[in-house]
Each structure stands twice: as C-alpha cells, then as structure tokens.
Amino acid sequence: MRALDDSSYDAARETMVREQIAARGIRDPRVIESMRRVPRHLFVPPADRERAYIDAPVPIGEGQTISQPYIVALMTELVRPQSGDRVLEIGTGSGYQAAVLSGLVRHVYTIELEETLARRAEGVLREQKYDNVTVRVGDGYAGWPEHAPFDIIVVTAAPEQVPQPLIDQLKPGGRLVVPVGPRFTVQQLQLIEKNASGEIHTKNVSPVMFVPLRRPQ
Ligand code: SAH
C-alpha cells in the first residue's frame, strides 16, 4: 500500500477529532488539543498506518492493539490530568496513550509486559521527543512502587479484579481508570477515586472491550 503523506495524516487526524472525539462528548479542551497534536499514525506499525485514524482499535503486533481513539480520549478526560501530575500507565502497547498524557502532566511512568512492544514504543516516544515518559518492561499487576504514589493511574488492559497494589499506589485525591471484567467479553470501565481521607469511590462509566491484563509466564 502507498503511504499517505504527512498532510493526509494531519487531515485524517482533524476528522478523527471532529467526528469521533468532540462529536461524542469529550469536552476538556486540553484533552482535545492533545488528541489533535499527537501523530497517532507513528505509533501504528507501518503496514497498518493508513488505518491509524479509523474508529476502532488497530493491531500493533504480539496479539495486542492500540485502543480506539475515543476510548483513549475518554480515559484521559476521566482522570482529569493536571500539569503537575505524576501518572502510572499499565500496558504501554504502542506508546500512544502515554504520548497523549505526556503533554498534559508532569511525568508518565508506563509498564509493558511484552519486551518487543516496550522497546518499540520507547523508540517512537524518544524519536518524537516525549521526554517525560519512562517505559519499563514488567508486570503491571504490581504497579511501580519505586515511583508511587501517583496522582493518576491508567490501566489499558482488563484485569478480572482491580489489583490492590494499584489502589495502594494511588495518592489521596488520585484517580484510577481501569476496565474490569472477564477476558474477551464486555468489561466495565471504572473510575476509582481516593479521597483526601483515603476512602475509595468507584463509578461504572461504560461497557468496553479491552485485551486482558495477563499474568507473566
Ligand atoms: N495503551 C496502549 C494500548 C495497550 S493494549 C496504547 O496506547 O497503545 C494493552 C497492553 O497491555 C498490551 O500491549 C499488553 O501486552 C499489555 N499487558 C498485558 N498484561 C500486562 C501486564 N500484566 N503488565 C503490563 N502490561 C501488560
């Protein structure tokens, strides 16, 4: 397939933001601006690049996918990113969600189980100068205690239950967004907030379908 030139990608991205993001109710202007700015096609492997802006997840290798644009925007809006926030992402995948968060917060720490994906994402993030993103190969069920606590935790693969270490690693006042439920069927996207006195409040936001959060072999 012939590669589109940069201006076609820019036009496709504008259409994506208009039709998939703004039209469906994403309102936070900072989130919309970040979706407009991050070159999503560069996070999709070359063979599928022309599909980067479609209204669906796209394969990124190793049986994994880059989430649908609307879901990335929704999760980003739900956690209410602030410029001073430190963020943990579980499931780096392509690095796209990390890049979208990168411009909105102080630092993004992101963990990926698959070494191949982690290295590729790290390469794209470095090349595109997302300098406040740190990628690590590891098991997201454990979180990242060395950098805890976090203002925000974004989990982009579905556990059957919310891993307790992630709740423990959330700051008072912190927001955690996570798809929870059985494998390869519909899960609930949950927004979990820890208030100033450490109490947990959980809200079901919407049915979603994510790849499972796997246990390491
Ligand atoms: N946020 C990604 C989408 C990731 S898809 C993006 O923007 O492209 C979910 C990712 O979670 C996959 O890459 C998968 O390999 C990873 N994953 C699955 N189980 C994991 C675990 N226990 N720890 C860390 N990553 C995991």
Side-chain angles (χ1 to χ4, degrees):
M1 256 189 284
R2 189 178 56 86
L4 299 174
D5 63 30
D6 284 350
S7 63
S8 314
Y9 285 123
D10 292 347
R13 191 160 61 254
E14 280 302 317
T15 306
M16 172 196 90
V17 169
R18 198 173 57 247
E19 295 179 357
Q20 302 176 38
I21 309 300
R24 287 195 202 147
I26 301 297
R27 287 283 167 268
D28 184 336
R30 295 176 72 233
V31 174
I32 293 176
E33 185 52 32
S34 191
M35 297 296 292
R36 184 170 277 137
R37 198 168 287 165
V38 177
R40 179 171 164 94
H41 58 282
L42 298 181
F43 293 87
V44 171
D48 274 316
R49 205 153 273 174
E50 293 187 29
R51 301 167 64 212
Y53 295 99
I54 65 172
D55 188 12
V58 177
I60 53 171
E62 315 296 321
Q64 306 303 318
T65 56
I66 177 174
S67 306
Q68 181 188 4
Y70 172 70
I71 294 292
V72 173
L74 176 64
M75 291 173 85
T76 307
E77 184 172 69
L78 284 169
V79 294
R80 305 191 299 275
Q82 309 294 315
S83 53
D85 285 350
R86 296 165 64 260
V87 179
L88 174 66
E89 181 195 22
I90 307 298
T92 315
S94 69
Y96 176 67
Q97 172 77 74
V100 169
L101 285 161
S102 154
L104 302 174
V105 301
R106 178 139 62 99
H107 203 98
V108 181
Y109 298 90
T110 179
I111 307 179
E112 170 56 52
L113 193 58
E114 289 284 342
E115 168 133 35
T116 322
L117 293 179
R119 294 294 159 242
R120 195 197 298 146
E122 195 173 34
V124 178
L125 290 162
R126 191 177 308 137
E127 229 172 75
Q128 297 301 311
K129 306 267 186 288
Y130 293 99
D131 294 332
N132 62 341
V133 180
T134 310
V135 182
R136 173 164 84 78
V137 179
D139 175 19
Y141 276 100
W144 198 333
E146 293 81 355
H147 293 293
F150 301 98
D151 301 282
I152 291 173
I153 302 180
V154 175
V155 186
T156 67
E160 298 197 355
Q161 273 145 22
V162 183
Q164 186 61 39
L166 301 186
I167 293 182
D168 296 342
Q169 290 174 28
L170 196 59
K171 264 189 202 168
R175 291 84 64 199
L176 159 62
V177 69
V178 54
V180 183
R183 312 189 141 219
F184 301 115
T185 170
V186 175
Q187 303 120 9
Q188 268 298 332
L189 189 63
Q190 296 191 332
L191 176 64
I192 299 175
E193 303 201 39
K194 189 184 270 188
N195 70 16
S197 28
E199 292 159 354
I200 300 298
H201 290 275
T202 301
K203 189 166 104 186
N204 285 339
V205 177
S206 124
V208 286
M209 239 178 119
F210 277 79
V211 296
L213 191 67
R214 281 166 299 127
R215 297 281 177 186
Q217 299 300 315

